[in-house]
Amino acid sequence: MEIKMAPSILAADIVNLGRDVQMVEEAGAEYLHIDIMDGHFVPNLSFGPHLVKRLRKTSKMFFDVHLMISEPEKYIDIFAKNGADLITFHYEAAENPEAVLKLAEQIHAHGIKAGISIKPKTSAEVLKGLLSAFELVLIMSVEPGFGGQSYIDDVNEKISRLALMAKEENPNIEIEVDGGITADNIHVPTAAGANVLVAGSSVFGAEDPKAAVALLRANANEAVK
Ligand code: DX5
Ligand code: ZN
């Protein structure tokens, strides 16, 4: 599957956000990863739907909205209306498989893509039988809540297992990995089967974010050659 880069604006300079988004758009990044935190599902706060609405006016990028929130059903509609192209919620924020499927339907009703995410300690097997309801599965490679953490190597096996499950259940599903990805380790999740790679600090913390996107992409492509 085509490798896609998803810079996370959590690490961008929020007082120059328009400039930073333009930079990664010009660098050819396919997805703009927008982290939404509620101070409840995760111990941190970030952005709300208004930011998505405002960014939608300035950017044509594909908006990859990662909801790290409890009760995602309350906010899916507003994020969709404000311009999300993909909304990913957490398996851990839904109560049971029926609730998971209902949330996927709620997202699809807006004509956009739906993603399901699992935290580092949640096993891939909880998603058995659910993958066909989604266009993307997001595997967290850090505990959600903060940028700038180190990649947890234990998730590599989970990525491989999910890639195998996906082959059987939904071969077109995209596999996204999020947290602690750098130019030095991006080959690891990519070789395990991920095709959408999120990178916050390693893009916006770099002196030249455009060059950082290019290097990350080159190293990821090298891993699947
Ligand atoms: C963490 C977020 C990530 C974060 C990644 O809760 O979901 O998207 O921004 O940042 P880095 O790449 O710095 O680990
Ligand atoms: Zn994220």
Side-chain angles (χ1 to χ4, degrees):
M1 219 179 288
E2 186 202 348
I3 297 294
K4 294 178 180 170
M5 298 305 309
S8 165
I9 58 166
L10 196 60
D13 177 2
I14 54 168
V15 299
N16 290 294
L17 194 53
R19 177 204 68 187
D20 278 10
V21 170
Q22 199 186 338
M23 221 155 27
V24 293
E25 188 159 17
E26 283 170 12
E30 286 82 0
Y31 288 8
L32 188 71
H33 189 80
I34 305 175
D35 285 310
I36 309 296
M37 305 180 184
D38 66 351
H40 184 259
F41 183 77
V42 289
N44 197 6
L45 294 162
S46 61
F47 316 117
H50 183 69
L51 181 83
V52 174
K53 189 176 187 178
R54 180 65 190 85
L55 283 178
R56 188 73 289 171
K57 291 189 181 140
T58 52
S59 170
K60 292 196 168 58
M61 283 182 88
F62 181 95
F63 286 0
D64 162 19
V65 174
H66 177 194
L67 297 182
M68 285 165 277
I69 64 173
S70 304
E71 303 185 293
E73 65 279 3
K74 289 190 178 165
Y75 297 96
I76 284 169
D77 297 340
I78 184 77
F79 279 105
K81 281 184 194 140
N82 285 3
D85 294 295
L86 158 74
I87 295 181
T88 298
F89 64 89
H90 269 266
Y91 175 85
E92 299 86 356
E95 265 147 30
N96 50 55
E98 291 73 45
V100 167
L101 294 174
K102 215 172 145 200
L103 287 163
E105 267 176 39
Q106 188 183 348
I107 296 168
H108 285 142
H110 293 277
I112 61 171
K113 294 184 175 174
I116 179 89
S117 182
I118 50 174
K119 297 205 274 186
K121 292 192 185 99
T122 304
S123 95
E125 279 64 38
V126 301
L127 299 177
K128 259 215 161 92
L130 296 172
L131 294 179
S132 60
F134 294 91
E135 285 73 37
L136 178 142
V137 55
L138 167 54
I139 300 162
M140 290 304 301
S141 42
V142 296
E143 283 300 331
F146 301 90
Q149 304 179 75
S150 299
Y151 186 90
I152 301 172
D153 282 307
D154 288 355
V155 304
N156 296 329
E157 207 205 312
K158 182 154 69 176
I159 301 168
S160 312
R161 281 211 309 282
L162 253 164
L164 276 178
M165 274 168 63
K167 243 188 196 160
E168 285 187 12
E169 288 188 30
N170 182 0
N172 293 324
I173 198 168
E174 297 201 295
I175 301 181
E176 181 174 39
V177 176
D178 180 8
I181 294 179
T182 66
D184 291 332
N185 67 16
I186 195 166
H187 62 282
V188 176
T190 311
N195 78 296
V196 184
L197 292 312
V198 177
S201 314
S202 60
V203 168
F204 293 108
E207 215 159 280
D208 181 348
K210 281 193 197 176
V213 170
L215 180 63
L216 283 157
R217 184 194 298 286
N219 291 356
N221 277 318
E222 194 64 36
V224 286
K225 242 200 207 156

